[in-house]
Amino acid sequence: MEFDTIAAISTPMGEGAIAIVRLSGDQAVEIADSLFKGVGSKRLSEAATHTIHYGHLIDPKTGQVAEEVMVSVMKGPKTFTKEDVIEINCHGGLVSVNRVLQLVLNQGARLAEPGEFTKRAFLNGRIDLSQAEAVIDLIRAKTDRAMNMALGQMEGRLSRLIQKLRQEILEILAHVEVNIDYPEYEDVEEMTHQMLLEKAKYVKGELEKLLQTSQQGKILREGISTVIVGRPNVGKSSLLNSLVHENKAIVTDIPGTTRDVIEEYVNVRGVPLRLLDTAGIRETEDIVERIGVERSRKVLKEADLILLVLNYSEELSEEDRNIFKAVEGMDVIVIVNKTDLPQNINLEEVRELANDYSLVTISLLEDKGVDQLEEAISSLFFSGAIESGDLTYVSNSRHIALLSQAAHAIDEAISGVEIGTPIDIVQIDLTRSWELLGEIIGESVHESLIDQLFSQFCLGK
Ligand SMILES: Nc1nc2c(ncn2[C@@H]2O[C@H](COP(=O)(O)OP(=O)(O)OP(=O)(O)O)[C@@H](O)[C@H]2O)c(=O)[nH]1
Ligand SMILES: [Mg+2]
């Protein structure tokens, strides 16, 4: 495939020590060379690949030095896009990096679209679609685990698994083909059915295993959505601050301080949490606070984990009980805060309400009990398979949808064989699941199925 040469600023906008303008395409080296003046008369086009060069960019219009730079020359195909790639390291100011970009655009590069470098890596066959998607996940990763998961997917973990399953389906299809070609041999038919069922059930089992990881995969990717709820002034915002080890949320002794939902990402003993601090739930006349309370109720519904905070120094109120009712059936940790103050809460009553939820008593003021809370959070989530790091996780909703459609198609094929549906109908379902899986890695062209079938299996033999 042939493409024009694209360029973009590859570092975040803002002030930094350095910024990078990246170019990719046939003209990349030539464009950089037309601007670059290195030490002596060295040309970038003569430079060895994967080397870096100090020099200046000269504006061809004025002949003036435009910027002091380090230029990396990376010739295809061993580059991110498989094309020739140039990276110009310049000073990290907005004016400087924009000036460099403008210069390369003036010399004939085109401004890249978002994601276009990665798209080229895909179109040039260096990575498949699921790997390209992993690049995005990697950039957006908010937790260690999310990052590891994206790295695994980028390295092609999911792709290899999908390819293996597609291979299995191809083999089944090859046998079906034999069956259609030689219908007169009865034992061929019997053998085919037997083997078809066996293999199809295996593939279905594998697909289901993958789908089972998807819930966890999503959690690893996005963090466990954890909502801190409670009456006003019980210490919800203090709890958020304590867990993220920073004063992110405003804390005052005025009930109704938090008006909006505050979101922070934090790792609690390896468990990635998306922490949401909410407005204290109570009946209120204040319009702004009321909107906040409404929002609290809304985020409650989408939570994976609830941290329900009570006040040790006050009696349980009707509002507290209502909050217990609102979170019924969810994963809840009950936190009784302010144990440094005189006790007015009836802990027996709390235990009854908490039922089989875990219950911890803490004092955020004295920093007591936070350890136990962290312990409670991590034990909730490390009881399952989430810890085993070598599972291949599926977290992308496009992948999840395709996987479950493919599993459904395989299912149809299996029940088709079992009730004696003509084999060419079964073949349609199998082919469909093969194609659906192909869509995950971005290769699903009907012709390639035919090509592959004939190149890999000698049916006439
Ligand atoms: N004595 C004592 N005071 C605490 C403790 N934790 C928090 N506080 C105080 O309780 C008050 C309310 O704390 P916040 O964290 O703002 O409470 P909140 O639940 O977020 O309140 P709203 O946002 O109004 O719903 C503040 O004055 C805190 O300093 C504690 O463990 N002991
Ligand atoms: Mg608050």
Side-chain angles (χ1 to χ4, degrees):
M1 277 191 224
E2 267 188 45
F3 297 111
D4 51 356
T5 296
I6 51 173
I9 298 170
S10 292
T11 39
M13 283 304 194
E15 284 180 21
I18 53 169
I20 298 175
V21 171
R22 178 159 64 174
L23 290 103
S24 178
D26 286 349
Q27 312 286 307
V29 179
E30 197 179 309
I31 289 171
D33 225 0
S34 70
L35 297 163
F36 183 75
K37 185 169 183 322
V39 183
S41 58
K42 200 168 171 192
R43 305 306 319 154
L44 294 174
S45 49
E46 290 154 14
T49 185
H50 292 79
T51 53
I52 188 159
H53 305 272
Y54 170 78
H56 292 89
L57 294 189
I58 311 292
D59 186 340
K61 277 193 201 132
T62 61
Q64 303 271 315
V65 170
E67 179 52 323
E68 183 188 24
V69 293
M70 295 281 283
V71 179
S72 303
V73 178
M74 292 167 279
K75 292 181 183 150
K78 285 192 174 166
T79 64
F80 181 61
T81 54
K82 272 192 144 181
E83 303 170 341
D84 288 352
V85 170
I86 290 282
E87 285 181 5
I88 304 172
N89 294 247
C90 61
H91 292 101
L94 277 175
V95 174
S96 146
V97 69
N98 275 307
R99 180 185 280 182
V100 173
L101 178 66
Q102 203 51 56
L103 283 174
V104 299
L105 294 181
N106 290 346
Q107 295 304 102
R110 171 174 64 76
L111 189 63
E113 288 157 24
E116 202 173 358
F117 288 93
T118 311
K119 186 170 151 201
R120 286 203 175 178
F122 165 59
L123 291 174
N124 289 325
R126 197 179 73 78
I127 54 174
D128 70 29
L129 207 54
S130 78
Q131 287 172 306
E133 287 167 316
V135 175
I136 314 275
D137 284 352
L138 192 68
I139 293 168
R140 295 195 182 143
K142 295 191 184 72
T143 65
D144 271 355
R145 276 163 186 262
M147 170 140 178
N148 288 343
M149 189 167 66
L151 267 177
Q153 185 175 323
M154 206 170 67
E155 283 164 7
R157 219 161 162 177
L158 179 65
S159 316
R160 282 195 295 277
L161 202 66
I162 297 291
Q163 268 152 7
K164 192 177 130 228
L165 293 177
R166 293 185 91 211
Q167 187 65 32
E168 296 280 348
I169 299 174
L170 269 189
E171 277 171 34
I172 307 174
L173 279 168
H175 278 81
V176 169
E177 201 78 21
V178 177
N179 204 261
I180 291 171
D181 289 349
Y182 305 97
E184 62 275 22
Y185 297 118
E186 264 188 32
D187 39 336
V188 170
E189 188 181 316
E190 251 195 55
M191 220 178 62
T192 307
H193 281 195
Q194 181 99 41
M195 174 264 169
L196 196 156
L197 274 180
E198 218 168 89
K199 282 203 179 264
K201 280 181 181 164
Y202 166 76
V203 172
K204 195 188 151 212
E206 290 295 298
L207 288 178
E208 274 172 357
K209 261 194 244 163
L210 264 180
L211 279 167
Q212 271 165 15
T213 69
S214 65
Q215 189 51 35
Q216 283 179 358
K218 198 160 164 283
I219 283 176
L220 291 183
R221 181 163 123 141
E222 288 162 17
I224 296 160
S225 169
T226 306
V227 178
I228 309 175
V229 287
R231 265 191 299 134
N233 225 27
V234 291
K236 297 179 297 300
S237 301
S238 308
L239 178 62
L240 175 107
N241 291 344
S242 159
L243 288 173
V244 302
H245 304 289
E246 239 180 289
N247 285 331
K248 289 283 186 172
I250 301 170
V251 168
T252 74
D253 56 1
I254 305 162
T257 301
T258 306
R259 299 299 180 89
D260 218 337
V261 178
I262 297 168
E263 181 180 332
E264 281 298 326
Y265 288 85
V266 65
N267 236 305
V268 173
R269 304 205 180 168
V271 182
L273 299 187
R274 175 173 163 246
L275 263 187
L276 299 161
D277 176 26
T278 62
I281 294 180
R282 65 168 172 184
E283 294 302 323
T284 171
E285 294 300 310
D286 185 308
I287 295 179
V288 182
E289 192 184 350
R290 211 156 63 204
I291 296 172
V293 173
E294 270 320 300
R295 288 196 182 162
S296 303
R297 293 215 164 93
K298 215 167 127 205
V299 294
L300 255 192
K301 295 202 179 80
E302 289 146 25
D304 300 315
L305 173 65
I306 303 287
L307 302 180
L308 196 164
V309 188
L310 301 169
N311 188 337
Y312 185 81
S313 71
E314 286 172 15
E315 283 182 35
L316 269 181
S317 70
E318 201 48 40
E319 280 159 342
D320 290 324
R321 284 175 224 280
N322 284 337
I323 296 170
F324 270 100
K325 268 185 214 137
V327 299
E328 224 170 64
M330 306 179 80
D331 277 326
V332 181
I333 296 176
V334 180
I335 298 157
V336 184
N337 183 36
K338 307 200 186 186
T339 53
D340 53 285
L341 296 175
Q343 176 176 5
N344 281 308
I345 201 166
N346 181 340
L347 279 177
E348 273 317 304
E349 217 178 326
V350 176
R351 266 187 211 108
E352 221 166 274
L353 274 174
N355 202 1
D356 46 355
Y357 303 149
S358 8
L359 173 73
V360 284
T361 53
I362 63 174
S363 164
L364 289 169
L365 187 77
E366 295 183 340
D367 200 20
K368 276 190 186 143
V370 179
D371 269 0
Q372 279 96 304
L373 173 62
E374 293 190 349
E375 182 62 41
I377 293 172
S378 72
S379 66
L380 255 186
F381 284 91
F382 280 148
S383 43
I386 208 164
E387 210 169 8
S388 55
D390 54 345
L391 262 176
T392 304
Y393 289 104
V394 189
S395 65
N396 178 301
S397 39
R398 190 182 74 87
H399 298 171
I400 295 171
L402 286 167
L403 279 172
S404 55
Q405 286 173 44
H408 184 70
I410 285 276
D411 229 10
E412 298 274 288
I414 292 173
S415 50
V417 174
E418 279 169 350
I419 62 169
T421 309
I423 202 80
D424 45 344
I425 305 283
V426 174
Q427 189 186 25
I428 293 173
D429 286 323
L430 287 172
T431 309
R432 180 155 168 69
S433 69
W434 188 87
E435 282 172 349
L436 286 163
L437 291 182
E439 274 182 48
I440 293 179
I441 50 178
E443 49 173 89
S444 216
V445 199
H446 199 79
E447 271 154 83
S448 79
L449 165 66
I450 296 161
D451 290 346
Q452 283 204 42
L453 257 175
F454 283 99
S455 67
Q456 292 178 48
F457 301 100
C458 306
L459 288 179
K461 237 180 175 180

